[in-house]
Amino acid sequence: MTHIRHSIDVNAPLRAAYNQWTQFEDFPLFMEGVHEVRQLDDAHLHWRADRQGREIEWDSEIVEQVPDQLIAWRDVGGPGNHGCIRFSPLTEDATRVELEMDLASRLPASDQAQHETDLRRRLEQDLMRFKQMLETQGQESGAWRGEIREARSLPQSPSQPPSQSPPQSPPFEV
């Protein structure tokens, strides 16, 4: 199992950075090798991506999601990865986005070191592309403000029916 931890500071308010990350179907816009992410329900995603030269598909489950704080997941019947992404305010207009992942590898020990180096580079570049995308847009493309505990979506507050998306953050300047 390879443990990777990387963070990046994004010139966007906390709410905007978190909201953009909840737009899982936008992941192919900044994640290398990811062709499609389909949200099956509040806590389940279906992925299609290239890994080590071949296309694979798998499902993942969001096990915890707390608005403006974190999203944690695990693969279900796939590569066996799990991790979380945390969001911390730096200033009113800047946010630290920290990715922590444990990745399963089925490679021989002789190839493991290069594979880990490649994974770290790819994830670092994915975060850079996320930063660039959000800062260029000047506003998140959508939002989901629900909460998930133990892979179950918690009821939303009566002031916000589930069928309604919360308002997006106002545009921000970089």
Side-chain angles (χ1 to χ4, degrees):
M1 184 83 42
T2 299
H3 182 79
I4 295 177
R5 184 180 212 155
H6 187 71
S7 65
I8 193 162
D9 296 344
V10 178
N11 295 314
L14 171 69
R15 185 178 180 102
Y18 172 84
N19 285 350
Q20 183 61 57
W21 199 274
T22 68
Q23 302 307 291
F24 304 115
E25 293 181 353
D26 286 349
F27 281 7
L29 298 174
F30 63 89
M31 289 186 173
E32 180 182 324
V34 174
H35 298 296
E36 177 186 30
V37 178
R38 228 177 29 247
Q39 187 151 9
L40 305 175
D41 60 32
D42 290 344
H44 296 91
L45 307 171
H46 182 78
W47 294 73
R48 190 170 59 83
D50 285 333
R51 291 295 178 259
Q52 299 167 344
R54 61 186 180 91
E55 187 172 290
I56 61 170
E57 294 190 38
W58 73 96
D59 292 330
S60 64
E61 177 175 64
I62 299 166
V63 293
E64 185 174 9
Q65 184 166 345
V66 180
D68 298 333
Q69 293 179 29
L70 72 92
I71 301 171
W73 73 91
R74 66 178 167 225
D75 287 347
V76 179
N81 305 329
H82 61 274
C84 69
I85 187 120
R86 291 183 175 83
F87 304 84
S88 307
L90 297 173
T91 67
E92 189 176 298
D93 295 319
T95 304
R96 176 157 295 144
V97 178
E98 182 177 3
L99 174 67
E100 189 167 355
M101 287 183 70
D102 289 315
L103 300 118
S105 178
R106 294 172 180 88
L107 293 175
S110 60
D111 297 334
Q112 190 62 33
Q114 184 60 49
H115 179 66
E116 285 183 27
T117 299
D118 293 345
L119 281 172
R120 289 178 197 284
R121 178 197 52 78
R122 190 184 86 230
L123 293 172
E124 182 178 338
Q125 290 174 348
D126 288 349
L127 286 178
M128 287 292 296
R129 284 187 292 271
F130 173 77
K131 170 185 170 71
Q132 182 180 31
M133 181 183 81
L134 182 56
E135 291 176 359
T136 301
Q137 289 174 178
Q139 186 175 18
E140 66 271 34
S141 64
W144 188 75
R145 304 290 300 171
E147 191 165 334
I148 295 174
R149 299 281 182 186
E150 298 177 9
R152 298 196 189 284
S153 185
L154 300 180
Q156 295 192 0
S157 69
S159 64
Q160 182 184 322
S163 61
Q164 246 184 342
S165 292
Q168 293 178 315
S169 305
F172 54 88
E173 299 274 329
V174 182

